[in-house]
Amino acid sequence: MKSIDLMYQTMLAELGQRSLDAAWTADFPPEGRFTPANVKGRKYWYFDIPDGHGGTKRRYVGPAEDPDIAQRVADHKRDKDDLRARRRLVNTLTREGGMITPDAMSGDIVEALAGGGLFRLRGVLIGTVAFQCYSGLLGVRLPMAAILTGDADIAQDYAISREVEDSLPPIVELLQSVDASFRPVPHRSGSAASSAFQNADGYRVEFLTSNRGSDDYIDQPAKMPALGGASADPLRFLDFLIREPVRTMLLHRSGVPVVVPDPSRYAVHKLIVASHRHTDGQGLAKREKDLRQAALLFEALQQTRRSADLALVYNEAWERGPAWQEGIRTGTGMLPAQDAERFKMVLVEGAKKNREEIELPFGE
């Protein structure tokens, strides 16, 4: 796996800062003001902006303990948005630096959702579109065959959606601003709520949330107050994936600041997901993609000296109990022999760095 030159990794960091500044300026214009608020014993920042009718409209910013938010609230600076310069950076990073740009539809959709406030409201981009961001995040070149997609998956924690007291604009309107043919997909349960939206060409946008309770709710869409009228399908194991996500860039147009799962969590989660795929319809193809993406991340994490990170999150998943252990064992057993051996090497290496015991998912 070829590494990406440090020069281009530095350029990506510069693009990220410029794009974050631009997004911040759009969300929090000079005529507004930051206001602290306590919600259930925790301090959060909100932003009050005149609504043009003598009142104010309040936007959720984020938790007070987030150092990035605290710094920006303290500074409240406005950096000039230089779209042309950022677009040149994106072109250089993708054409010369070997980083990945998404297909136009995926990029436009994520950009529209980001502009509506998705990541400000602590949504997380997951699935293959998130995987595309790991090339720049880890500084390695990933093969195109592992990143092709025809959908976009978005996750948000259920408790966060209920507590932020803010919402995206109507999801249908955001999606139709990209393609007017987007429509809600009837839910399989028969519920009037929709957790997925699809356009005339079959491109699908789906919203997901964690399910840590009874399986009685697994086939029922969860109401998500912050998602602009969209519901979300509760999924097992998703809370592990979206815990402690990271900020990075989607290299589309002039750059889109996004939030994605930690790559180590993504890799372990893909093993578990692969073990639960059905083998009918598209299930087998999706399982193969899950395993391929996991294997590529094992290699990338080893190459970039992040084996300790992988071992830590692996142990976290393993210690969650028998169902998790069975999913990891089954997924590992589906890996090609070379990829399984690399996974073992990275885990052992990481456990030594962490000075922790580790129980491997296969025999010695």
Side-chain angles (χ1 to χ4, degrees):
M1 184 175 289
K2 292 184 178 180
S3 297
I4 291 173
D5 190 280
L6 181 60
M7 175 182 70
Y8 296 113
Q9 296 183 49
T10 304
M11 290 175 65
L12 179 67
E14 179 185 351
L15 173 67
Q17 187 60 56
R18 289 191 184 188
S19 298
L20 191 59
D21 290 339
W24 189 269
T25 300
D27 281 335
F28 308 111
E31 59 268 24
R33 66 186 181 91
F34 290 99
T35 304
N38 289 309
V39 180
K40 296 185 177 180
R42 293 186 65 190
K43 183 179 178 182
Y44 295 87
W45 283 106
Y46 287 80
F47 189 77
D48 291 338
I49 185 171
D51 62 6
H53 303 286
T56 59
K57 180 179 180 181
R58 175 160 289 190
R59 292 178 175 175
Y60 172 79
V61 180
E65 64 264 28
D66 186 317
D68 290 338
I69 292 174
Q71 182 63 47
R72 288 184 171 274
V73 171
D75 293 343
H76 202 195
K77 293 180 179 178
R78 293 296 177 264
D79 296 328
K80 184 178 180 180
D81 182 13
D82 188 348
L83 288 174
R84 291 183 179 179
R86 288 194 286 125
R87 185 163 294 191
R88 286 195 296 269
L89 278 173
V90 170
N91 289 339
T92 300
L93 291 169
T94 55
R95 294 178 183 177
E96 301 176 19
M99 298 183 191
I100 295 169
T101 187
D103 65 275
M105 178 61 73
S106 297
D108 286 347
I109 286 170
V110 174
E111 185 175 44
L113 293 174
L118 174 67
F119 302 112
R120 176 173 58 82
L121 296 175
R122 298 168 72 183
V124 182
L125 179 65
I126 62 175
T128 297
V129 182
F131 182 82
Q132 296 171 356
C133 297
Y134 293 141
S135 175
L137 186 65
L138 296 175
V140 295
R141 298 182 183 228
L142 298 172
M144 290 297 295
I147 63 172
L148 300 178
T149 188
D151 54 31
D153 296 325
I154 308 295
Q156 187 186 52
D157 183 81
Y158 176 74
I160 289 173
S161 194
R162 290 180 60 86
E163 291 177 5
V164 296
E165 299 181 359
D166 196 355
S167 177
L168 292 168
I171 286 293
V172 172
E173 293 181 10
L174 288 174
L175 295 177
Q176 288 179 347
S177 72
V178 176
D179 184 331
S181 69
F182 267 106
R183 296 289 185 272
V185 176
H187 197 269
R188 61 183 178 276
S189 66
S191 169
S194 291
S195 59
F197 302 81
Q198 189 165 304
N199 73 357
D201 295 325
Y203 193 101
R204 187 179 180 96
V205 180
E206 190 163 3
F207 294 89
L208 306 166
T209 193
S210 53
N211 179 37
R212 288 171 283 184
S214 169
D215 282 337
D216 293 342
Y217 301 102
I218 203 71
D219 289 323
Q220 295 296 322
K223 293 183 179 179
M224 306 291 284
L227 290 184
S231 295
D233 275 342
L235 292 184
R236 288 286 191 184
F237 311 110
L238 190 68
D239 63 301
F240 169 83
L241 175 66
I242 63 176
R243 183 181 179 187
E244 300 175 340
V246 295
R247 290 187 175 101
T248 188
M249 295 297 300
L250 186 69
L251 295 177
H252 177 69
R253 298 186 187 277
S254 56
V256 184
V258 297
V259 177
V260 299
D262 174 272
S264 297
R265 290 183 181 275
Y266 188 101
V268 174
H269 184 261
K270 280 298 178 185
L271 284 183
I272 299 172
V273 169
S275 73
H276 288 77
R277 294 283 192 196
H278 298 295
T279 56
D280 56 343
Q282 296 184 346
L284 187 59
K286 290 183 177 180
R287 186 174 73 184
E288 291 302 313
K289 180 183 274 191
D290 291 337
L291 296 171
R292 180 63 173 147
Q293 290 183 355
L296 286 167
L297 286 177
F298 297 151
E299 182 179 355
L301 291 165
Q302 181 184 41
Q303 183 172 317
T304 56
R305 304 179 68 82
R306 290 175 169 88
S307 59
D309 295 342
L310 181 64
L312 278 174
V313 300
Y314 169 86
N315 267 347
E316 178 190 328
W318 190 264
E319 291 167 2
R320 290 195 179 201
W324 292 72
Q325 294 170 13
E326 180 61 25
I328 294 171
R329 283 197 191 97
T330 302
T332 302
M334 296 175 180
L335 290 170
Q338 181 178 354
D339 295 329
E341 182 62 26
R342 176 178 285 112
F343 184 34
K344 175 181 178 180
M345 289 173 56
V346 181
L347 289 178
V348 171
E349 179 183 294
K352 288 180 179 178
K353 289 181 178 179
N354 296 332
R355 299 182 180 180
E356 286 187 346
E357 296 294 326
I358 196 162
E359 185 174 345
L360 298 175
F362 26 59
E364 294 294 335

